Amino acid sequence: MRYSQLFLPTGREIPSDAEVVSHQLMIRAGMIRKLTSGVYSYLPLGYRVIQKVENIIREEMNRAGAQEVYMPMVQPRELWEESGRWQHYGKELLRFRDRHERDCCLGPTHEEVITDLVRNEIRTYRQLPKNFYQIQTKFRDEIRPRFGVMRCREFGMKDAYSFDMNEAGVDESYRKMYDAYTRIFERCGLTFRAVEADTGSIGGSFSHEFMVIADTGEDALVFCTLCEYAANLEKAEIARPEKEDTSQGEHLPVEAVHTPGMKSIDEVCGFLNMKPEDIVKMIIYSADGVPVAVLVRGDVEINEVKVKNFLGCDLLEKADEEMIYRVTEAPRGYAGAVGINVKIIADYSLLGMSNFVTGANREDYHLINVNVGRDFAVETYADLRFVRDTDCCPRCKGALKFARGIEVGHVFKLGTKYSKTMKATYLDRNGQERFMEMGCYGIGIGRTVAAAIEQHYDENGIVWPVAIAPFQVIITPVNVNDHRIAEISETLYASLLHRGVDTLLDDRDERAGVKFKDADLIGIPLRVTVGQKSLVNGVLEVKMRKTGEVRKMPQEELEHMIVSFIHEGM
Ligand code: ATP
Ligand code: MG
């Protein structure tokens, strides 16, 4: 490609609405432009990178035995009614009506469509297992699109869906996808970890997220420093403590104390001269409309993902003022478990607590010396809070380490969640009808590109890993008006193209300094400079974008060096 013909609007200004480096650099390097909130166009340079990532994904999916298909973006309401997600997916599902007044949505994911396709086409065990994938546009009406293409509303995703006869089959399909993902992200030049994750609105029994480690990541991750355990903070487990006894020591008489205006844990602690560890915090939730009281020790945080999974409900929300009043007969801030008549579940952190403080279900009052068993009953103890750095690994008791990550891929073992609700069955060897076992597997294409930039940049711009660089080499003639310089550049350009090297020839009539700055900004791994000296001794200068290392060599040698550099980088 000739730079003079390439549409590559680079810029020096940092765009004011771009908070993270990848977003800033994608705008400055002329890769993307915003159309409207969370909706972006890819310009030629950006789209080249997208295609490089897609090609790596295709190669690895094909290698793993998955077959490429292409499914529609517009999906009918009826299918989503069948899976139950028309009701439960929430506002991220963009719904609309066509001219015949039929309800439709734009696909945020394709479990319904693929399950429908497979249930109509696959009848017997002889046709299984199968794994179908596509690279296609998704729409999710995110509440807060941000960070450019990292969290946008319309984005490209590779999604794959596996169908197996039994659990051993789906485990094997899952493992193949897990291995394929590992290869894909390695080839893209990313530093990543697969962590145990919650299954969210996709559902299923088990899942891993592939996380690119970066300080700007939206997800908090937990790793064990001794064993292999790694999880999303949302999911990270806490082992049931050995200290089970809640009735230790003497139980003092309950007393109501006046705590005017004291609602938060800090306020109550300060006022009563106590520690958060002495207080039991109670939050009332609405679980599919039914009130449930959740208790944790005052110094830890409730993890709502754990609460939702524990209760097995579809919609978990903090109770509104009206529900709180209905349960406690008091305003928010004074709720406690004594005397209420709803399901009470408690986090393990309550085990071993005695004579603690709670709200009195009366405005401006708290109770002290409250004890489980004597004063109220807990239905179940469970792991309902966030892990902290003082906790230990749930597997081996090793110390934990925290990091932040960007979720670029997610693999789920779905089991029969969709095959049951949508009746995707097959006949087994004995002619018996069985539900298919499913898995689903997603990679965000644009987010992977943004995450790669988060890990590969410096003060001058992007530093692409070779495998996903928009061009592998940029040739920079320092002066295009010197016909001898231009001629050497053209010869090298033609020769590199002939060797299959993705080459950009900067044939613009610009100062060398401007060209160097642009080459650095757009992050091309190798820059070859053709200058006056090349005319004298036939030696060309090549600079590595990543290390800044400069080498000089004749053209023939340079071409070999470039070809081997590219292959090593793949
Ligand atoms: P998140 O938790 O970040 O909202 P998710 O868990 O909803 O993502 P999945 O349903 O697992 O996402 O989708 C598969 C992949 O699609 C994700 O791993 C991510 O790479 C990508 N992805 C999801 N949402 C977005 C988005 N709003 N913008 C860009 N990529 C996205
Ligand atoms: Mg996910």
Side-chain angles (χ1 to χ4, degrees), residues 188-426:
C188 288
L190 296 167
T191 305
F192 64 95
R193 274 293 289 264
V195 305
E196 291 182 16
D198 183 60
T199 54
S201 62
I202 306 278
S205 53
F206 198 74
S207 90
H208 282 92
E209 284 165 341
F210 285 76
M211 291 284 185
V212 167
I213 308 301
D215 291 340
T216 47
E218 290 185 285
D219 286 271
L221 315 177
V222 179
F223 307 104
C224 177
T225 49
L226 290 183
C227 76
E228 284 299 296
Y229 184 74
N232 193 310
L233 180 64
E234 223 171 55
K235 168 85 178 174
E237 299 157 30
I238 295 161
R240 190 179 174 114
E242 276 131 30
K243 198 171 51 173
E244 294 267 316
D245 189 6
T246 49
S247 55
Q248 284 167 342
E250 189 191 350
H251 287 185
L252 303 172
V254 180
E255 226 179 287
V257 292
H258 193 213
T259 50
M262 307 292 153
K263 293 187 180 182
S264 71
I265 298 280
D266 283 349
E267 286 166 344
V268 175
C269 282
F271 191 74
L272 297 177
N273 194 20
M274 295 211 174
K275 297 194 297 287
E277 292 90 308
D278 302 324
I279 294 181
V280 166
K281 181 158 65 177
M282 179 171 98
I283 307 277
I284 297 172
Y285 285 95
S286 158
D288 295 334
V290 180
V292 177
V294 180
L295 309 185
V296 290
R297 202 172 59 210
D299 61 328
V300 297
E301 288 303 321
I302 294 181
N303 179 334
E304 293 182 357
V305 170
K306 289 183 177 177
V307 174
K308 180 169 184 275
N309 289 340
F310 177 80
L311 293 172
C313 59
D314 289 315
L315 186 65
L316 183 84
E317 291 172 306
K318 283 206 175 69
D320 59 14
E321 210 73 32
E322 190 271 326
M323 185 184 269
I324 294 174
Y325 200 86
R326 194 153 31 97
V327 174
T328 67
E329 293 175 16
R332 193 189 292 277
Y334 301 96
V338 181
I340 61 170
N341 196 14
V342 296
K343 182 187 184 85
I344 299 176
I345 57 175
D347 177 64
Y348 290 148
S349 56
L350 257 76
L351 293 169
M353 285 183 79
S354 58
N355 299 321
F356 50 79
V357 179
T358 68
N361 298 329
R362 181 176 163 202
E363 186 160 11
D364 291 342
Y365 281 88
H366 279 79
L367 298 180
I368 58 170
N369 300 329
V370 176
N371 287 282
V372 181
R374 184 191 67 181
D375 303 319
F376 66 91
V378 167
E379 190 178 299
T380 331
Y381 288 93
D383 170 16
L384 302 174
R385 70 169 170 95
F386 281 109
V387 171
R388 300 185 301 175
D389 50 10
T390 46
D391 290 310
C392 56
C393 170
R395 300 276 187 274
C396 77
K397 303 233 180 314
L400 294 176
K401 198 172 72 186
F402 288 72
R404 298 203 71 83
I406 301 165
E407 179 200 324
V408 286
H410 200 163
V411 293
F412 300 77
K413 183 172 153 185
L414 295 170
T416 53
K417 178 181 151 94
Y418 293 90
S419 55
K420 272 195 178 137
T421 51
M422 297 184 63
K423 306 206 174 42
T425 61
Y426 71 98

Side-chain angles (χ1 to χ4, degrees), residues 488-506:
I488 294 176
S489 303
E490 289 286 346
T491 314
L492 178 66
Y493 177 57
S495 185
L496 286 178
L497 287 185
H498 186 70
R499 288 178 186 270
V501 178
D502 262 338
T503 311
L504 181 62
L505 173 63
D506 194 349

Side-chain angles (χ1 to χ4, degrees), residues 442-510:
I443 294 180
I445 314 282
R447 192 183 283 182
T448 299
V449 170
I453 298 176
E454 291 291 330
Q455 281 190 339
H456 301 279
Y457 71 94
D458 63 17
E459 66 280 8
N460 298 318
I462 304 170
V463 185
W464 289 114
V466 184
I468 62 171
F471 295 95
Q472 295 156 332
V473 176
I474 182 167
I475 303 171
T476 312
V478 294
N479 176 6
V480 286
N481 297 318
D482 182 322
H483 76 274
R484 288 168 307 167
I485 289 182
E487 197 183 307
I488 294 176
S489 303
E490 289 286 346
T491 314
L492 178 66
Y493 177 57
S495 185
L496 286 178
L497 287 185
H498 186 70
R499 288 178 186 270
V501 178
D502 262 338
T503 311
L504 181 62
L505 173 63
D506 194 349
D507 57 346
R508 296 175 298 167
D509 187 6
E510 287 280 3

Side-chain angles (χ1 to χ4, degrees), residues 53-158:
V53 171
E54 288 181 354
N55 287 341
I56 292 175
I57 292 175
R58 275 203 179 87
E59 281 177 26
E60 295 301 335
M61 294 309 286
N62 294 344
R63 187 206 296 263
Q67 301 178 45
E68 189 164 6
V69 295
Y70 194 82
M71 291 182 272
M73 195 177 176
V74 172
Q75 307 181 7
R77 169 182 181 155
E78 291 69 33
L79 269 188
W80 285 73
E81 291 275 10
E82 276 192 62
S83 69
R85 288 204 290 186
W86 186 262
Q87 278 75 23
H88 300 308
Y89 205 92
K91 290 193 170 168
E92 275 184 27
L93 184 65
L94 187 71
R95 301 153 210 245
F96 61 96
R97 228 168 238 177
D98 67 13
R99 66 199 298 168
H100 303 294
E101 297 293 312
R102 284 185 292 238
D103 284 318
C104 308
C105 63
L106 287 187
T109 173
H110 277 68
E111 284 78 15
E112 282 79 1
V113 176
I114 192 74
T115 308
D116 180 57
L117 192 70
V118 166
R119 72 179 168 184
N120 292 332
E121 302 296 330
I122 292 187
R123 303 245 175 265
T124 88
Y125 72 94
R126 283 190 210 91
Q127 297 165 285
L128 294 174
K130 285 282 174 297
N131 188 337
F132 298 108
Y133 78 97
Q134 64 174 347
I135 297 179
Q136 192 249 15
T137 304
K138 300 284 183 269
F139 195 95
R140 295 183 180 182
D141 204 354
E142 298 274 353
I143 185 166
R144 213 152 77 83
R146 56 194 186 135
F147 304 155
V149 296
M150 194 100 90
R151 180 167 299 284
C152 49
R153 298 195 301 158
E154 183 174 325
F155 57 95
M157 192 200 286
K158 186 287 299 171

Side-chain angles (χ1 to χ4, degrees), residues 500-534:
V501 178
D502 262 338
T503 311
L504 181 62
L505 173 63
D506 194 349
D507 57 346
R508 296 175 298 167
D509 187 6
E510 287 280 3
R511 282 182 296 113
V514 171
K515 294 183 175 186
F516 292 158
K517 274 218 160 66
D518 278 331
D520 280 353
L521 176 61
I522 65 174
I524 309 305
L526 296 176
R527 187 188 81 207
V528 180
T529 310
V530 186
Q532 293 299 334
K533 280 195 201 139
S534 317

